[in-house]
Amino acid sequence: MKIPTEIELQAAQLRDTLNEHNYYYYVLDDPHIPDSEYDRLLRELQALEAQYPELMRPDSPTQRVGAAPLSAFAEVVHTVPMLSLNNAFDDDEVHDFEKRVRERLRVQEIEYVAEPKLDGLAASLRYEEGLLVKAATRGDGSRGEEVTQNVKTIKAIPLRLRGDDFPRVLEVRGEVFMPKAGFDHLNKQQTARGEKTFANPRNAAAGSLRQLDSRVTGRRPLTFLSYAVGVVEGAQLPNSHHDILHRLQTWGLPISVYMQVVNGVQGCLDYYQDILAHRDNLPFDIDGVVYKINRVEQQEQLGFVSRAPRWAIAHKFPAQEALTQLLDIDVQVGRTGALTPVARLSPVNVGGVTVTNATLHNQDEIIRKDVRVGDTVILRRAGDVIPEVVRVLADKRPDSSQPFVLPDKCPVCGSDVTRAEGEAVVRCTGGLICPAQRKQAVQHFASRRAMDIDGLGDKLVEQLIEGDLVKSVADIYTLSKEQWAGLERMGKKSANNIIKAIEKSKSTTLAHFLYALGIREVGESTAGLLAQQFGSLEKLMSATEKDLQKIPDIGPIAAKHIVAFFQQSYNREVIQRLQEVGVHWAAPTEQPSAATEQSLAGQTFVLTGTLSSMTRDKAKKRLQALGAKVSGSVSKKTSCVVAGEKAGSKLDKAQALGVKVIDEAGLMALLEQ
Ligand code: IVH
């Protein structure tokens, strides 16, 4: 069939537009259109190509969905070998490296390029006449596996180079990896489908790239950053590593924004500390930094030895994973009665911190990983996340070991435990009879964001519960001075202080009070919303599930928990007693009626990074005052992300989801409106 010229033009234009937007998004990190518009253009091109298959081009963005599965990977020979890196594990080893280099080069000062060491797998991309023709893994450095179809699904990798000054043949080397947000999302998806989860982003990246079915790769959130070149024919590249990478960027290849030129070994070590301090906020996992001599001429002078260049070195960070022994499994009971199995471990250093406990989440997780007392386990600690047992080394298991099963009675109060349908957690049915739940309910009630009773810390609450002085949170208000003074490590003065703090806490707000009650599914922002919408406790207490669900962001589950809480006579009694002892809040004087005051109603904001003109807490309150909901995590439903200084993975996720992002100035403008 002859394709009409205007159709051909239209397809070419769509291809160019889509590739251009890909470049803005992945290389410049500056999207020009929302994701939905990109998808619309892509569908338009797909429709044209379906109607006129001859329009199909190897660099069409529609080619990114993957192709028919292979039966095996073909072998690729790397004419320029793919090198590995030598490692330095401390500052001394970096000094040794620099000394060796200086002696060989007979120079005093050396300029380096420092880059993050990405934790994925190396890939080589071969472009001929600007077109991506072959992609391969590193393999043993001389021979790898051809993964062209898989690599084509990675949107950060251009299918055609931009401009017209690229070499006739260009091999780009870089790392294929999975950002943290994508990794978390993938593992959640895998769990929901009952499929195997990945131990860390690197395994997930490797497992995703080495797929015989490229359509599977296409569904995985992989990305790519360039860090070197291999074969180059038909053009001269710049004479420094820094300039080469920036040249790659002009051709549409993504490079790391964290790349930096530094001077001498001190420059390298400063960079190391800087990146290490920000490690947890980076949107992807790194296992160290890499220092490379910047001048190509010096690189050539030094050459390489046994597959590693003499002109570069990886300075590794403390590992985030470690092997240790699982000594025992304890079961903790939380505020809402949830039984959480906790692994007691033989102490081990992970990422610079000594770890002795790790969460095992719930029974399903224990079964899935088959974790048993006595096992040798791989422990992982990423950032400020609670350490987790990733995997068991089955071959090191003692013969006598037994599968672990959560008890059917609460280990604290002996009440029965139940598991609600569709829930992974098992709960103690003891409610406030259970000292564990009671203790945490009181701790929560007294905490800063709830009733804010200064000085009533966890240790003191423990004494109150163990001494049976406090059965419900209302009892806090009726203890005598003598009773307080009689507690361990409590002098007269501290007793006076605590009594003053308790007195002060009586004057609160409805939002704080509701949060302090510890109703399931009612966090700080929901409590604020309820206070705002109902205005009085009485109205809220008589609300039905239907009434509650009319409020934006209150779903059926939260509504059920709220109604159930106020139906329980015990809870009603406690509330009444609290009011009788004098807990009060100002009746809402102004109903939020004026439209301007509620200009952000129905919108969900996420705050991330540091703000300079106010605390995040303050910003949150001001947004809530305008009717907005402020949430802790970014999803497709988020209306807007406020990104302060050093915003990390939440910003990344917002960008990945196409959620609107504003900076501090944007926030101020919004609040002042
Ligand atoms: S350069 C010519 N730069 O680390 C030297 N490698 O341990 C080639 N890697 O196989 C490597 N980030 O997969 C280089 N910024 C970076 C890197 C990096 C991660 C990986 C790469 C390499 C491995 C060596």
Side-chain angles (χ1 to χ4, degrees):
M1 192 190 343
K2 175 91 183 72
I3 305 173
T5 322
E6 66 274 17
I7 297 284
E8 261 189 55
L9 267 176
Q10 193 189 348
Q13 226 166 39
L14 279 168
R15 273 198 309 266
D16 287 351
T17 312
L18 285 161
N19 284 333
E20 205 56 15
H21 285 299
N22 229 36
Y23 171 71
Y24 294 138
Y25 192 105
Y26 289 101
V27 181
L28 301 185
D29 198 12
D30 177 22
H32 283 201
I33 54 170
D35 289 3
S36 55
E37 178 60 12
Y38 184 94
D39 293 342
R40 193 186 64 74
L41 293 169
L42 187 67
R43 280 196 301 273
E44 210 173 294
L45 181 58
Q46 268 165 341
L48 282 184
E49 287 179 351
Q51 200 180 348
Y52 304 100
E54 298 88 339
L55 280 177
M56 211 82 88
R57 296 284 177 281
D59 62 336
S60 169
T62 59
Q63 297 303 293
R64 293 191 181 278
V65 286
L70 304 172
S71 51
F73 293 115
E75 189 184 87
V76 174
V77 174
H78 300 302
T79 24
V80 173
M82 288 184 76
L83 299 178
S84 180
L85 292 168
N86 288 322
N87 292 322
F89 292 97
D90 57 34
D91 291 5
D92 286 348
E93 293 183 3
V94 180
H95 280 288
D96 292 347
F97 162 75
E98 162 137 309
K99 192 160 158 257
R100 286 196 300 273
V101 166
R102 271 214 311 248
E103 280 169 8
R104 278 187 178 263
L105 292 177
R106 297 174 196 286
V107 291
Q108 280 307 309
E109 270 289 302
I110 299 168
E111 191 175 75
Y112 296 95
V113 169
E115 305 165 6
K117 185 170 190 297
L118 305 155
D119 209 4
L121 68 159
S124 181
L125 318 175
R126 186 177 170 94
Y127 291 89
E128 290 177 4
E129 310 289 354
L131 192 68
L132 175 63
V133 292
K134 198 172 270 188
T137 61
R138 189 171 97 90
D140 64 5
S142 315
R143 285 154 210 275
E145 289 172 329
E146 186 188 335
V147 286
T148 315
Q149 283 307 334
N150 303 25
V151 156
K152 280 185 161 185
T153 68
I154 301 173
K155 296 207 188 75
I157 293 177
L159 302 178
R160 175 179 290 283
L161 299 178
R162 289 166 55 85
D164 50 17
D165 61 344
F166 42 73
R168 197 171 41 74
V169 178
L170 173 68
E171 273 178 20
V172 179
R173 304 254 159 110
E175 197 86 345
V176 170
F177 61 100
M178 193 175 287
K180 291 175 194 168
F183 169 74
D184 291 343
H185 184 72
L186 173 64
N187 261 358
K188 276 193 191 127
Q189 242 175 18
Q190 294 286 102
T191 308
R193 294 199 191 114
E195 282 171 38
K196 176 179 145 288
T197 56
F198 295 95
N200 53 47
R202 184 169 50 84
N203 287 2
S208 301
L209 187 64
R210 296 188 64 261
Q211 281 283 341
L212 289 168
D213 186 348
S214 51
R215 288 167 301 191
V216 175
T217 314
R219 292 192 291 267
R220 300 282 171 82
L222 294 175
T223 190
F224 177 82
L225 287 172
S226 325
Y227 54 61
V229 292
V231 175
V232 180
E233 281 172 21
Q236 185 74 33
L237 291 190
N239 57 15
S240 76
H241 179 68
H242 171 270
D243 293 354
I244 291 173
L245 291 198
H246 276 277
R247 186 65 59 83
L248 293 183
Q249 191 183 32
T250 67
W251 295 326
L253 289 151
I255 61 173
S256 175
V257 294
Y258 303 98
M259 174 176 69
Q260 211 171 298
V261 175
V262 298
N263 278 314
V265 84
Q266 198 50 50
C268 291
L269 298 179
D270 291 347
Y271 178 86
Y272 177 92
Q273 288 303 335
D274 192 35
I275 295 283
L276 181 59
H278 292 105
R279 182 185 198 179
D280 296 343
N281 295 326
L282 295 182
F284 44 78
D285 260 8
I286 59 175
D287 57 350
V289 295
V290 185
Y291 312 130
K292 299 173 183 171
I293 291 186
N294 195 16
R295 281 179 54 189
V296 172
E297 190 196 324
Q298 290 180 330
Q299 291 184 356
E300 284 167 354
Q301 229 175 311
L302 290 164
F304 60 92
V305 59
S306 65
R307 304 219 167 279
R310 285 204 191 88
W311 46 266
I313 194 155
H315 189 178
K316 304 279 280 217
F317 285 158
Q320 290 188 308
E321 288 185 3
L323 268 191
T324 191
Q325 223 68 37
L326 194 150
L327 305 175
D328 204 356
I329 298 178
D330 278 356
V331 179
Q332 287 182 346
V333 184
R335 176 161 63 83
T336 58
L339 266 55
T340 307
V342 178
R344 302 291 176 217
L345 307 161
S346 175
V348 62
N349 187 309
V350 199
V353 170
T354 303
V355 175
T356 49
N357 302 321
T359 175
L360 293 170
H361 300 291
N362 54 51
Q363 182 73 62
D364 290 355
E365 282 289 297
I366 292 184
I367 294 174
R368 193 172 65 73
K369 293 177 186 160
D370 189 17
V371 184
R372 303 182 187 188
V373 173
D375 274 343
T376 302
V377 296
I378 297 178
L379 189 70
R380 181 175 165 78
R381 182 188 148 267
D384 47 10
V385 187
I386 305 168
E388 192 184 29
V389 169
V390 175
R391 201 157 62 77
V392 167
L393 299 189
D395 53 348
K396 299 228 161 125
R397 168 168 288 167
D399 293 339
S400 59
S401 90
Q402 292 294 321
F404 179 83
V405 186
L406 276 178
D408 53 8
K409 300 268 187 244
C410 171
V412 179
C413 72
S415 302
D416 287 344
V417 301
T418 58
R419 180 170 171 171
E421 224 185 279
E423 271 199 35
V425 285
V426 167
R427 285 177 204 279
C428 159
T429 54
L432 293 177
I433 297 163
C434 175
Q437 293 185 53
R438 221 186 315 146
K439 183 173 87 194
Q440 289 170 86
V442 175
Q443 285 168 344
H444 172 78
F445 183 83
S447 66
R448 198 171 57 77
R449 295 173 157 204
M451 298 301 280
D452 191 17
I453 307 180
D454 204 17
L456 186 47
D458 292 358
K459 286 270 171 307
L460 218 48
V461 172
E462 246 163 58
Q463 286 191 58
L464 296 176
I465 300 292
E466 278 159 20
D468 233 5
L469 293 168
V470 165
K471 292 206 175 59
S472 91
V473 292
D475 297 337
I476 297 172
Y477 291 90
T478 54
L479 291 180
S480 69
K481 203 179 199 164
E482 291 66 38
Q483 280 174 309
W484 282 111
L487 295 175
E488 259 171 56
R489 282 193 299 265
M490 181 66 101
K492 242 197 183 139
K493 193 158 162 231
S494 337
N496 274 335
N497 286 343
I498 226 140
I499 288 172
K500 261 193 221 138
I502 288 172
E503 203 49 41
K504 192 168 149 225
S505 77
K506 287 183 182 170
S507 174
T508 183
T509 64
L510 179 55
H512 280 103
F513 182 75
L514 291 175
Y515 175 62
L517 291 176
I519 306 166
R520 268 178 65 193
E521 298 287 325
V522 179
E524 246 184 315
S525 81
T526 306
L529 207 61
L530 291 171
Q532 200 169 47
Q533 297 286 327
F534 286 90
S536 86
L537 181 62
E538 293 65 36
K539 279 196 195 132
L540 173 62
M541 285 175 78
S542 53
T544 63
E545 283 179 38
K546 224 166 143 196
D547 297 335
L548 287 160
Q549 282 191 57
K550 282 190 203 132
I551 298 174
D553 297 315
I554 295 200
I557 298 174
K560 218 186 204 84
H561 284 304
I562 296 166
V563 169
F565 182 90
F566 290 120
Q567 263 170 5
Q568 273 206 16
S569 55
Y570 174 84
N571 293 334
R572 297 179 84 96
E573 265 167 47
V574 171
I575 290 171
Q576 197 187 341
R577 276 189 59 212
L578 284 168
Q579 287 183 302
E580 279 166 10
V581 297
V583 173
H584 66 280
W585 49 87
T589 43
E590 46 197 79
Q591 280 297 334
S593 54
T596 50
E597 281 181 9
Q598 290 290 291
S599 58
L600 301 179
Q603 296 195 35
T604 306
F605 279 70
V606 174
L607 296 162
T608 180
T610 321
L611 300 175
S612 59
S613 55
M614 62 175 99
T615 61
R616 282 223 302 251
D617 228 33
K618 178 88 195 225
K620 178 174 174 180
K621 293 214 168 90
R622 293 197 48 188
L623 286 167
Q624 284 172 336
L626 292 172
K629 186 183 171 204
V630 180
S631 159
S633 58
V634 180
S635 76
K636 270 221 153 91
K637 288 187 182 156
T638 308
S639 324
C640 180
V641 169
V642 180
E645 277 292 298
K646 301 195 183 123
S649 60
K650 287 181 191 170
L651 174 58
D652 201 51
K653 187 162 178 203
Q655 282 166 345
L657 293 172
V659 168
K660 180 176 157 191
V661 176
I662 59 172
D663 60 6
E664 185 165 359
L667 171 70
M668 298 315 286
L670 200 67
L671 295 175
E672 274 155 29
Q673 246 174 32

